[in-house]
Amino acid sequence: MSYQPPVREHLFLLRDVLEIETYSNLPGFSDAPMDLVEQILDESARFCAEVLAPLNAVGDKHGCVWNPDGSVTTPPGFKEAYRQFVDGGWPALGAVPEFGGQGLPAVVNLACNEMSSASNMAFSMYPGLTHGAYSAILAGGSDAQKQLYLPKLATGEWGGTMNLTEPQCGTDLGLIRTKATPAGDGTYRISGQKIWISSGEHDLAPNIIHLVLARIEGAPAGVRGISLFIVPKFLPDAEGHPGARNSVKCLGLEEKMGIHGNATCVMSHEEATGWLVGEENRGLAIMFVMMNEARLGVGMQGLAQGEAAYQAAAQFARDRLQGRALTGPKNPDGPADSILVHPDVRRMLMDARAVLEGGRAFLFWSALHGDLAHRHPDEAVRQKGEDYMALLTPVLKGFLTERGFAIASDAMQVHGGSGFTEHFPASQYLRDSRIAMIYEGANGIQALDLVGRKLGAHGGRAVMTFLAEIDAFVAENGADAALKPFVDGLAGAKAQLLEGTLWLMQNGPANPDNAGAGSMEYLRLFGLTGLAYMWALMARAAGAKVAAGDTDPFYAAKLTVGRYFLQRVLPDTGAALAKLKMGAEAVMALPADAF
Ligand SMILES: Cc1cc2nc3c(=O)[nH]c(=O)nc-3n(C[C@H](O)[C@H](O)[C@H](O)COP(=O)(O)OP(=O)(O)OC[C@H]3O[C@@H](n4cnc5c(N)ncnc54)[C@H](O)[C@@H]3O)c2cc1C
């Protein structure tokens, strides 16, 4: 049995925890009653399990092939699957109706994206990047650009990419050298080399729209002199069809550790024709729209790979017979017990469950706030949604990718030696999940973004609102005896997060290295507190079902995993806070030449 999409989990979150039906007065939500959402998720699950998941190992083994004419052939089956994906309308689910999308809530779209990413991460990156390009043009493009490109990107008819990275510039985009020269006819000539461009060239779509960061001649140095351009592979003709070939080409593919089915390209722009998006020198702001969306998507990738790896490990553990339970045989008629009897194997599987279920809730809860930021009529709700999205995007990206990789590593451990071989999927999950901690801003950069930018924004409004929301939950639910362990755990984590926040505010400005040295621990503390809040919300929803006499074992299991989270995962907040408060002294003590 391969990966099974966790639709039951999705429905529990959407219906019982987030109660999305209470937003049925909002655009998009009004078109998505729960019975329709259930149908969509079931259909997406079927497609992912039957079409995408079987191609995951194929993509890993075959990889993409670069041809001497600069074209790229994707792994066998990808092209047909992509056609079905587009014909099924899946790329358009979350896009706006004005440009050919279906306008469903982002939180519903996210559930589908989790399933496709868990089924086949490399494949799902093609539509993922396309959606990012769509979002950037939607945010910053002219009306004509929107009319021309958005319907084709929204539906997945054309592909999209983001071209930021160059050999000398990854994290530090101020070092970009790609040049843009005005051609005198409203277009620009784009010249330069971009590296590691995901989905940069492929055979899935008849055109690829590259969004390229470049520097217009004479622009200020650094990030204030960067502009954003649309550079199509084929220049659209008067009817908007792919016309003349543009001078942008793929020089080769990267050999890499994982996601072999996704083409990671060296792209050469040789006086390619490009169109400015938005204003000159303001490109980074628009690209950040795309990057923020992509960062949440990468957090989701961490979760999705963790889920797929956990499922493989749980299945292996059920089947593998080794040793006897410490408390006496559980399979006396067999040669040995299944390794599920061993507490250390249980520990790894339960760690995974506790983090995945809490992490998924945190991701969905945040995505719902993103929906409210765009769709709610009340300005205060919209502002809170925006604040939360800005604050939590680096937390979700950093926390879920780090934990997703750790889960994939534990999943390999559960497999024993079999996991290290290529006969089982554990190796691919571990390899594929690793990149998520690096791209879209390495996790260290997410932590700096959280501490350096997001915490202090608007006088700390977002973090203070988040902490106050937790206080209100604790006050409201403190008297509920069944929920008490969850409320107490949450209150304790929140107190530590507040302490860490105040410590950073007091010690960061005097010595910025204090903030830098503690930033990752702070991100972890934040992530764990977010999960504690989610577990309290889930325990309340599941507890209400049990109290009402619902005997579905799903709810009892939810409460059991929640208790494990409180006892065995949440205590990590103490270590994170202690390390954070140690400051930078020991971190920076060795002189640079001692390394
Ligand atoms: C498979 C793959 C796909 C990719 N896809 C794309 C794509 O589609 N489009 C695209 O434009 N790029 C893409 N990238 C590039 C990716 O986004 C970069 O690799 C990433 O942003 C990090 O940049 P870098 O590799 O140059 O690392 P560097 O910037 O050299 O950083 C190296 C290390 O130093 C740390 N570091 C750097 N600066 C700081 C700082 N100021 N403070 C603290 N720590 C710091 C980083 O966190 C990192 O750990 C891809 C890369 C890969 C491997």
Side-chain angles (χ1 to χ4, degrees), residues 125 129 160-173 194-200 211 213 254 256-259 262-265 287 290-291 295 435-446 448 516 519-520:
M125 286 172 68
L129 281 144
T161 73
M162 53 196 289
N163 281 230
L164 287 72
T165 307
E166 299 178 9
Q168 78 293 346
C169 119
T171 301
D172 188 354
L173 292 172
K194 297 285 180 179
I195 60 167
W196 304 338
I197 305 307
S198 299
S199 319
L211 285 188
L213 287 183
E254 219 56 64
K256 53 197 197 294
M257 171 177 172
I259 52 167
N262 190 268
T264 306
C265 304
M287 199 57 137
M290 181 170 179
M291 275 153 54
R295 283 175 179 178
I435 184 58
M437 291 167 70
I438 297 173
Y439 61 16
E440 281 313 329
N443 282 2
I445 304 306
Q446 304 301 323
L448 278 185
S519 58
M520 187 54 85

Side-chain angles (χ1 to χ4, degrees), residues 174-234:
L175 300 175
I176 278 179
R177 282 192 204 140
T178 294
K179 257 187 353 193
T181 314
D185 59 357
T187 67
Y188 290 77
R189 298 274 167 268
I190 314 290
S191 300
Q193 195 180 92
K194 297 285 180 179
I195 60 167
W196 304 338
I197 305 307
S198 299
S199 319
E201 177 60 49
H202 55 76
D203 54 3
L204 303 180
N207 205 0
I208 301 174
I209 308 306
H210 303 287
L211 285 188
V212 183
L213 287 183
R215 193 180 289 289
I216 297 174
E217 282 179 333
V223 288
R224 285 200 306 270
I226 295 176
S227 303
L228 179 64
F229 297 89
I230 293 173
V231 180
K233 175 176 164 184
F234 290 100

Side-chain angles (χ1 to χ4, degrees), residues 135-146:
S135 300
I137 296 177
L138 185 67
S142 67
D143 283 345
Q145 288 170 341
K146 289 180 187 173

Side-chain angles (χ1 to χ4, degrees), residues 396-416:
L396 290 162
K397 195 280 185 185
F399 189 81
L400 294 180
T401 59
E402 185 176 80
R403 294 288 176 143
F405 178 71
I407 290 168
S409 178
D410 273 352
M412 178 177 278
Q413 195 71 16
V414 170
H415 279 80

